[in-house]
Amino acid sequence: MEFLLRWQEEVHAGNVVVNGSTGTYTVKIPIAVEQVSSQDLGCSGNVPNPPSATQAPINTIPPSPSYAEKLCPHAITQNEVNSFNIGVADVSTVQSYINRFDDGRPNDGGAFLQGTRIPAGVVIATNFDKVNPNKWLDYPVIALVNSGSWGLFQSTGDFTAPNDGACRVIIP
């Protein structure tokens, strides 16, 4: 038998400072494994050719969308996320990046309300706190482009949204 599996993991990333030296870290935690398809290869040693790009695999089970994909139905590539990573900026610059982010979520897809569980591995546009400009530091996020606690952030762990916002799931 040949099995095709889907591996899902939770990714935690951030910055670390040790003895004055800074660096980044990434931790990947497996959270789910599911079978996508299977194929009987037989016992004779004659292995059939794998399906070509135009042939559907045998016994395909459609993958179920993850919580992140349901909450944030529109994807954003890691390259695009990297292009957003400019740090602290003025309000007009932050707004221009949020507009670019919103262009990739037609029909307001990915909008969430205060109290929504935000998963790791998504980019969110939100304001963590309208009064405290450093409130975002209390959450498992990396600031991509921000003015205080408002802007675009990459989630590195699950948390409850303190305010309304929007999200897009990160894909390779």
Side-chain angles (χ1 to χ4, degrees):
M1 292 294 292
E2 175 182 75
F3 297 95
L4 178 61
L5 304 176
R6 177 196 310 252
W7 177 276
Q8 293 178 334
E9 58 191 21
E10 186 175 300
V11 179
H12 298 270
N15 300 316
V16 64
V17 179
V18 177
N19 297 329
S21 297
T22 61
T24 60
Y25 71 90
T26 303
V27 176
K28 298 179 179 182
I29 302 167
I31 58 172
V33 177
E34 66 181 287
Q35 181 180 323
V36 175
S37 65
S38 64
Q39 179 176 339
D40 187 352
L41 300 177
C43 296
S44 65
N46 296 329
V47 178
N49 291 329
S52 70
T54 58
Q55 294 173 316
I58 299 171
N59 298 329
T60 299
I61 300 169
S64 58
S66 69
Y67 174 76
E69 293 167 327
K70 289 177 187 174
L71 177 65
C72 314
H74 302 288
I76 185 168
T77 66
Q78 187 63 58
N79 284 341
E80 191 172 2
V81 172
N82 295 344
S83 76
F84 289 167
N85 194 2
I86 66 164
V88 176
D90 59 75
V91 170
S92 64
T93 300
V94 174
Q95 186 61 60
S96 70
Y97 278 85
I98 289 176
N99 291 345
R100 279 179 48 198
F101 171 84
D102 284 342
D103 287 345
R105 4 176 259 109
N107 303 318
D108 206 26
F112 61 80
L113 300 174
Q114 176 183 15
T116 300
R117 182 177 66 88
I118 305 300
V122 300
V123 173
I124 61 169
T126 194
N127 191 342
F128 283 95
D129 191 308
K130 295 176 181 166
V131 177
N132 182 349
N134 295 318
K135 189 65 177 174
W136 70 271
L137 294 166
D138 295 342
Y139 294 86
V141 297
I142 298 169
L144 298 173
V145 57
N146 66 303
S147 177
S149 282
W150 172 69
L152 292 174
F153 302 86
Q154 178 177 343
S155 65
T156 59
D158 290 6
F159 64 95
T160 301
N163 290 305
D164 298 354
C167 62
R168 290 174 62 189
V169 68
I170 301 170
I171 60 171

